[in-house]
Amino acid sequence: MKIVENEIKVPSPAGDIRTVVIRPVGDEAYPGLLLYTDIFQLTESTLRTARRLAAEGFVVVAPEIYPHGPLAGVALEFDDAGKQAGLDGAAATTSAQFDVDRVAVIDAMQARTDITQIFVTGFCIGGHLAFRAGFDPRVEATVCFYPTGLQNGKLGADPDAGSLGRAADINGRLMVVFGTQDPHVPADARLQILTALYAAGHDDLELHLYQGGEHAFMRDIGPRHDPSLTDLALIEAVSFLRGR
């Protein structure tokens, strides 16, 4: 599908959230897909992935995850300085602040006439944010790509946001993607996450574990990128979101 892209401002209690909306051309309504970025925010790399998803028949809504401080409007570089700035942005944001912004974005999605239902996805810290977005009963399906911090609850400024302990609050369908060579979510952490999800009743979740996949293997810049695994992961995610 051909796509069209524009930038909007989503109002929230803390101020506007810069958000990119990408959707198929035309007047038809489609499922909405809230897409959370990694710590580098709305980079061209992430937007390329968002465009691929939109072309599959979704209204992709990608907000900045640090929209209210010094990183508002900033797409960070994939270098040491950019990484540190992204980590600093996370460290300055509590899970409660992330949650307030999430509600604002989902409210805005629900008000759109071109969105039929609401799905969520995210990468790295965005995968953790996507997991928490699943607590919202309006979210019908969630795909978390290599979510960080689920095993120990670390999210932004919070040493333990308790996300995994609230897994039973996710009422929609759930898919989780990991790479076997991800140091942020090693085998013991993956086992801990899966055990908690099964214990919470998510024994029908869809789990994809890609052999050799490093952390951020879907980011199409840098030595970690694996194009073949990226294609597989996106194909499976789209199929999952469509309900097969």
Side-chain angles (χ1 to χ4, degrees):
M1 295 183 180
K2 292 183 179 179
I3 56 173
V4 62
E5 181 173 336
N6 67 294
E7 183 178 309
I8 65 172
K9 300 291 186 181
V10 173
S12 80
D16 288 347
I17 302 169
R18 175 178 172 250
T19 303
V20 174
V21 178
I22 311 170
R23 54 151 293 138
V25 170
D27 298 326
E28 186 176 345
Y30 296 92
L33 181 60
L34 168 55
L35 185 149
Y36 282 113
T37 72
D38 57 19
I39 61 170
F40 298 94
Q41 297 217 97
L42 291 170
T43 62
E44 275 298 311
S45 176
T46 293
L47 290 174
R48 282 191 287 271
T49 300
R51 292 170 190 134
R52 287 186 64 175
L53 290 166
E56 294 290 342
F58 299 98
V59 178
V60 177
V61 178
E64 288 188 329
I65 60 172
Y66 311 132
H68 308 303
L71 295 182
V74 178
L76 297 168
E77 297 293 332
F78 297 120
D79 55 18
D80 289 342
K83 178 180 178 181
Q84 189 57 57
L87 292 173
D88 290 345
T93 310
T94 66
S95 59
Q97 291 170 314
F98 283 127
D99 290 347
V100 168
D101 283 348
R102 177 191 74 233
V103 172
V105 174
I106 293 179
D107 284 349
M109 293 176 69
Q110 190 176 39
R112 291 179 65 102
T113 59
D114 62 346
I115 287 179
T116 58
Q117 58 196 130
I118 296 175
F119 303 143
V120 183
T121 191
F123 304 83
C124 190
I125 187 176
H128 193 150
L129 294 176
F131 185 90
R132 291 182 68 85
F135 302 157
D136 191 309
R138 296 172 290 182
V139 174
E140 298 184 27
T142 301
V143 179
C144 303
F145 291 106
Y146 34 85
T148 54
L150 280 182
Q151 71 270 24
N152 57 17
K154 176 62 178 174
L155 178 63
D158 294 346
D160 187 357
S163 302
L164 195 57
R166 293 186 57 190
D169 292 339
I170 298 177
N171 296 311
R173 296 178 293 120
L174 179 63
M175 172 177 166
V176 185
V177 176
F178 292 117
T180 61
Q181 301 302 310
D182 187 340
H184 298 283
V185 196
D188 59 341
R190 298 195 298 268
L191 180 60
Q192 181 182 344
I193 292 167
L194 186 61
T195 300
L197 290 174
Y198 270 55
H202 295 290
D203 53 1
D204 62 345
L205 72 90
E206 188 157 317
L207 175 67
H208 293 261
L209 182 62
Y210 289 106
Q211 184 178 22
E214 298 185 53
H215 188 69
F217 70 83
M218 299 176 72
R219 182 193 303 150
D220 65 359
I221 292 177
R224 301 182 201 171
H225 179 48
D226 190 314
S228 296
L229 294 187
T230 298
D231 287 346
L232 288 172
L234 288 175
I235 289 168
E236 292 295 343
V238 169
S239 176
F240 173 80
L241 291 172
R242 288 175 175 164
R244 307 300 182 196

